[in-house]
Amino acid sequence: MKTDRTPSGGLTTGLSRRELLLQVAADLFLHNPYDSVTVDMVCAQAGISGPGLYRHFQNKQALLIAVVENPLDFLQRFARATTEAEPDPLAALTAMVEFHIRSVLSTAPTTLIFLKNEHAFPEADRRRIRRAMNIYAEEWISIVSPLRPGLSEPEVRVLTHAVFSMLNTLPTLNRGLDQESVVKTMSTAALQALTSLRSE
């Protein structure tokens, strides 16, 4: 997953055809109902022929699945590598928070695309993606838990998922800030929420 966008949010040309198709499709699936998005629309916006798309994806449904799974797999692999390599939970969490924010700012929000179009996923794929999301959340929970010993496990889960919800909506906001300012502001907010002591 690359950060191949201009400051205004436009698409850049430094992408492979597959990456470009995924980026265009993600924007279309985010802003339009699944049934209204056509292969012709994706191809037209990507500047790629229909046969060019089918060399990478079997059909529109396979394209939707890849739009959601590819970024999720990227996040999950980073989280697992960080928790395994970094013994300090606060340092690990700081790295994971910043990486997550940069990822959701660089592409259309995977979670929102999945929730909006969940009905279009085959049951097996829907379950697999839900499972992958839960595994990713568990990586965070395993780091937050030792930092918040005063919270029960259900409380840590609710807190972690609430922070996810906050961060995953960032691409939909009219920020009026440059990306680095957004990263700094939201990293601080997320870390404060995840690590601050409970108010008496």
Side-chain angles (χ1 to χ4, degrees):
M1 184 169 53
K2 295 183 179 180
T3 56
D4 291 275
R5 285 181 178 272
T6 66
S8 62
L11 302 177
T12 67
T13 56
L15 299 172
S16 70
R17 284 191 173 187
R18 187 177 191 278
E19 290 170 328
L20 181 58
L21 286 166
L22 287 170
Q23 192 176 82
V24 167
D27 285 336
L28 287 171
F29 289 136
L30 177 64
H31 296 107
N32 303 276
Y34 174 78
D35 292 338
S36 72
V37 176
T38 66
V39 167
D40 287 342
M41 288 170 61
V42 176
C43 292
Q45 290 202 21
I48 294 173
S49 67
L53 182 145
Y54 290 116
R55 279 195 287 269
H56 299 283
F57 304 100
Q58 183 178 2
N59 50 36
K60 183 177 75 168
Q61 193 174 60
L63 179 59
L64 173 64
I65 292 168
V67 161
V68 172
E69 276 197 317
N70 284 16
L72 180 59
D73 179 63
F74 198 62
L75 289 169
Q76 190 175 324
R77 285 188 284 111
F78 180 86
R80 181 176 297 114
T82 301
T83 56
E84 291 175 353
E86 178 54 70
D88 179 0
L90 181 57
L93 182 62
T94 300
M96 289 160 63
V97 165
E98 181 172 337
F99 189 82
H100 186 96
I101 293 171
R102 291 189 183 280
S103 296
V104 299
L105 290 175
S106 71
T107 188
T110 295
T111 302
L112 298 184
I113 293 172
F114 176 70
L115 293 175
K116 179 178 180 179
N117 300 286
E118 190 171 358
H119 67 282
F121 287 79
E123 182 63 24
D125 295 287
R126 181 163 56 246
R127 289 181 178 178
R128 185 180 65 255
I129 290 169
R130 284 280 185 188
R131 186 165 54 249
M133 288 179 171
N134 288 334
I135 291 172
Y136 178 55
E138 288 300 321
E139 297 286 356
W140 282 58
I141 290 166
S142 70
I143 295 298
V144 174
S145 292
L147 295 171
R148 300 298 297 271
L151 297 184
S152 67
E153 181 180 337
E155 288 173 322
V156 171
R157 290 180 181 279
V158 168
L159 176 62
T160 302
H161 283 283
V163 170
F164 276 162
S165 295
M166 174 180 72
L167 298 181
N168 289 336
T169 60
L170 282 175
T172 67
L173 302 177
N174 183 12
R175 299 183 297 272
L177 295 173
D178 62 88
Q179 179 167 307
E180 289 308 309
S181 296
V182 174
V183 171
K184 181 179 179 181
T185 299
M186 297 311 299
S187 292
T188 300
L191 289 170
Q192 181 68 22
L194 293 168
T195 65
S196 65
L197 297 176
R198 171 189 268 174
S199 299
E200 294 298 331

